[in-house]
Amino acid sequence: MTYTTNEQKFLAEAGIGRLATVSPDGVVQNNPTNYRVNSDGTIDIGGMRMRTSRKYRNVEAGSRVSFVVDQQVSLDPYVIRGIEVRGTAAALDDEEPPFRIQERAVIRIHPDRIISWGIDGDSFDFTSRACE
């Protein structure tokens, strides 16, 4: 598995992330999305009208992606935690989406690098590793 036990638990509980893609002309897009972590460590992003979305078209055009899930746990003391998954992605046309109400198209992220903070240590402990 690509993720630590604490990272797996965090991803299972957090619920919403943000997916950043880049268009062929260099415009960055960042949108909130739902997601599902698959048993092989890939992440599926779903949504309404996914096939016509800019993020889907960006991935079809070859965009690398960055996916972030984070939470502010408290203000006093200031505690944050999160994960950034960087990698390649595929636009898949006939896959089961994370939620039933969505169309059968997903973006599947294949992690190359995982950066996390506040999950396996305190909120200012960052870890970064390449995925095998």
Side-chain angles (χ1 to χ4, degrees):
M1 176 54 84
T2 307
Y3 308 97
T4 67
T5 301
N6 288 342
E7 289 170 345
Q8 289 175 43
K9 183 178 177 191
F10 173 76
L11 287 169
E13 295 171 352
I16 282 242
R18 291 179 300 282
L19 177 67
T21 62
V22 180
S23 70
D25 61 351
V27 176
V28 177
Q29 182 194 31
N30 192 358
N31 290 106
T33 64
N34 60 55
Y35 64 92
R36 172 183 57 222
V37 179
N38 301 310
S39 61
D40 64 356
T42 59
I43 297 173
D44 286 352
I45 305 294
M48 304 300 288
R49 298 177 297 281
M50 177 60 82
R51 284 181 191 88
T52 60
S53 70
R54 168 128 358 230
K55 61 185 167 280
Y56 193 83
R57 292 191 313 268
N58 288 348
V59 169
E60 282 183 311
S63 174
R64 291 188 51 81
V65 299
S66 175
F67 182 65
V68 173
V69 179
D70 60 346
Q71 294 178 329
Q72 180 176 317
V73 179
S74 70
L75 283 173
D76 189 18
Y78 183 62
V79 178
I80 57 170
R81 60 187 186 152
I83 294 176
E84 178 184 0
V85 178
R86 297 178 186 170
T88 59
L92 305 176
D93 195 37
D94 192 26
E95 293 289 322
E96 188 66 35
F99 297 100
R100 290 184 190 182
I101 61 170
Q102 300 167 347
E103 67 178 282
R104 294 184 62 86
V106 300
I107 293 171
R108 181 160 297 153
I109 301 170
H110 299 271
D112 292 335
R113 175 159 294 287
I114 296 172
I115 303 163
S116 68
W117 56 95
I119 295 175
D120 287 319
D122 71 32
S123 60
F124 300 103
D125 287 342
F126 283 76
T127 63
S128 177
R129 64 188 179 282
C131 300
E132 299 175 10

